């Protein structure tokens, strides 16, 4: 099945490259580019459009499912469906959101008889507002789930806030289902599918990102590029701190708007020597409350492990030495925006391989990268960000069909990520998208990693024209967790899940930013124990044992 998925990916990539080449001089909002879902028009289809449709069919066939002809969406409603789509903005809400929504609706109303309302919420407020919308049964048809907290995939699934989308996917998003293949297994609980996996390069790594201009001025570029340990990294942080020119910068800041100075503290056992750093599997639990080491099969309370404590102590030492941005525990800004705002020198981030140029762009300057550890593809990789249909959906069929359109139509994909071509960005002869000179802060510019099918997007400035093929190669070479596809139904311990979520919201930002004292750390562990984390561990152990026996792993 993995080989089928990779073959399907290769065909989708070939399709996306051909479509990007023939769409370079067209406006995303006004003129149709060649894409797998283009409807028939009075003008004859171009050769590249026909090829795109054939590639789409081939990709679906390789994925193991038969799909409708190009543009033949399964619209089963007569009146125009009205759907609300919720997703986060990593910066402030773009002023051009309405223009992008209008451009998307020109396509969706004609193609799938659906009017789409785009609702963006700044990432720092997303959890609270999205959770309120769902709990108050406000109309919401499609949404992004986040890596942790109340809007994470596992939390929402355990709280029965997500619809079973298995039949919806079969009926209304067959191309998506056929192409993603086994990835959908990561979003199943007891065989029930509660979300749509993003289709992108899941191969990733944890990297240190440092401002190249600062390193050049300090004469430390070579030292930075050859880092092999955190001890060596601290020498650079100390040099920045003591620099008369750069001392106003914090040495390092949280990466995610949630206080994480070292990302994935519940997944990565950081060691002073990068080569000794190891990765555990959180078994798809997006609270990261449980973990199991590769091949060990013993489920542990993540936050009580030596791994998590050692990570805390490392960050705490940096905080006490004055390296960490003092507001890391409370700021909602991402590490990239703190670099761009001239606040911090560096941050550590989890990055999809092949996506480095997009990160440099978000930082607003050239960054020097040093890899700490490669990350295997796991259930946690799949559940990090997902598209899901909440129980508040009034038009679930239209929502699933809109996802199918986003997955197959380059016009919608690029509108959603980059805005309106010719207004918010332009595409060069090489097929690479970039800001228009003199308009480096356009009315709309989002991120690529939330798109249902990232392989349909124009590569962004700084990436190679064949960036999608490069990401595919990374996927083929990536390692996979032996627990990929395992998931547990936590509905029976929903009170425990809620208690753990509440404790995390109160304490983890303090711990992962270095602000927390040892007493605060112990309070966190006590709250988890009172909340029943041992019960959660036992439940996961029982589920894992059953899964291992059933799969023969």
């Amino acid at each position: 099945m993995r080989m089928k998925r990779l073959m399907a990916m290769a065909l989708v990539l070939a399709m996306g490259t051909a479509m990007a080449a023939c769409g370079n001089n067209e406006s995303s909002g006004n003129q149709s580019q060649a894409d797998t879902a283009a409807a028939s028009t009075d003008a004859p289809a171009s050769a590249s459009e026909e090829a795109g449709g054939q590639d789409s069919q081939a990709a679906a066939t390789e994925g193991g499912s038969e799909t409708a002809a190009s543009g033949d969406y399964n619209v089963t409603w007569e009146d125009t469906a009205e759907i609300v789509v919720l997703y986060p903005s990593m910066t402030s809400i773009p002023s051009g959101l309405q223009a992008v929504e209008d451009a998307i609706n020109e396509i969706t109303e004609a193609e799938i008889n659906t009017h789409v309302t785009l609702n963006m919420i700044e990432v720092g407020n997303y959890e609270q507002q999205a959770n309120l919308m769902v709990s108050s049964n406000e109309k919401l048809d499609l949404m992004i789930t986040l890596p942790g907290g109340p809007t994470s995939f596992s939390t929402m699934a355990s709280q029965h806030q997500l619809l079973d989308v298995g039949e919806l996917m079969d009926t209304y998003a067959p191309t998506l289902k056929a192409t993603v293949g086994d990835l959908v297994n990561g979003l199943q609980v007891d065989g029930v599918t509660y979300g749509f996996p993003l289709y992108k390069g899941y191969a990733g790594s944890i990297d240190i990102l440092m401002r190249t201009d600062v390193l050049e001025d300090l004469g430390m570029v070579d030292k930075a590029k050859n880092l092999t340990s955190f001890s060596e990294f601290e020498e650079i942080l100390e040099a920045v701190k003591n620099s008369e020119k750069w001392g106003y910068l914090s040495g390092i800041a949280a990466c995610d708007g949630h206080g994480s100075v070292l990302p994935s503290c519940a997944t990565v056992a950081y060691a002073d020597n990068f080569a000794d750093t190891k990765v555990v599997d959180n078994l798809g639990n997006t609270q990261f409350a449980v973990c199991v080491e590769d091949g060990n099969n013993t489920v542990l309370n993540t936050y009580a492990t030596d791994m998590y404590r050692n990570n805390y102590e490392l960050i705490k030492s940096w905080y006490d030495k004055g390296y960490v941005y003092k507001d890391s525990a409370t700021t909602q800004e991402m590490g990239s925006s703190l670099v761009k705002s001239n606040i911090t020198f560096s941050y550590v981030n989890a990055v999809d391989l092949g996506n480095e140029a997009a990160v440099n762009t978000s930082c607003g300057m050239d960054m020097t990268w040093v890899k700490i550890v490669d990350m295997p593809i796991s259930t946690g990789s799949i559940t990090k960000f997902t598209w899901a249909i909440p129980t508040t959906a009034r038009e679930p069929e239209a929502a699933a069909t809109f996802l199918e359109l986003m997955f197959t139509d380059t016009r919608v994909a690029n509108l959603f990520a980059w805005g309106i071509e010719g207004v918010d960005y332009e595409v060069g002869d090489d097929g690479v998208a970039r800001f228009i000179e003199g308009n480096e802060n356009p009315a709309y510019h989002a991120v690529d990693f939330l798109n249902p099918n990232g392989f349909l997007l124009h590569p962004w400035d700084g990436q190679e024209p064949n960036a999608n093929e490069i990401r595919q190669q990374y996927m083929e070479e990536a390692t996979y967790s032996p627990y990929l596809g395992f998931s547990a139904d936590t509905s029976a311990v929903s009170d425990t899940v809620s208690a753990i979520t509440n404790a995390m919201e109160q304490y983890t930002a303090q711990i992962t930013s270095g602000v927390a004292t040892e007493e605060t750390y112990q309070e966190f562990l006590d709250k988890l124990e009172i909340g029943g984390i041992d019960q959660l561990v036992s439940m996961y152990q029982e589920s894992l044992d059953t899964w291992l026996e059933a799969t023969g792993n």
Side-chain angles (χ1 to χ4, degrees), residues 89 100 120 138 210 228 232 260 289 337 361 385 424 522 527:
S89 171
V100 168
M120 288 185 82
E138 187 174 338
M210 296 166 280
T228 61
E232 296 169 346
S260 300
S337 64
T361 298
F385 293 101
D424 299 307
Q522 188 59 49
K527 285 284 183 70

Side-chain angles (χ1 to χ4, degrees), residues 271-286:
D272 183 56
N273 291 319
F274 299 159
D276 296 328
T277 296
K278 299 183 183 301
V279 179
V280 302
D281 195 309
N282 297 112
L283 300 176
N285 179 264
T286 47

Side-chain angles (χ1 to χ4, degrees), residues 481-492:
S481 168
Y483 306 105
L484 178 65
F486 169 81
S487 60
D489 182 0
T490 59
S491 58

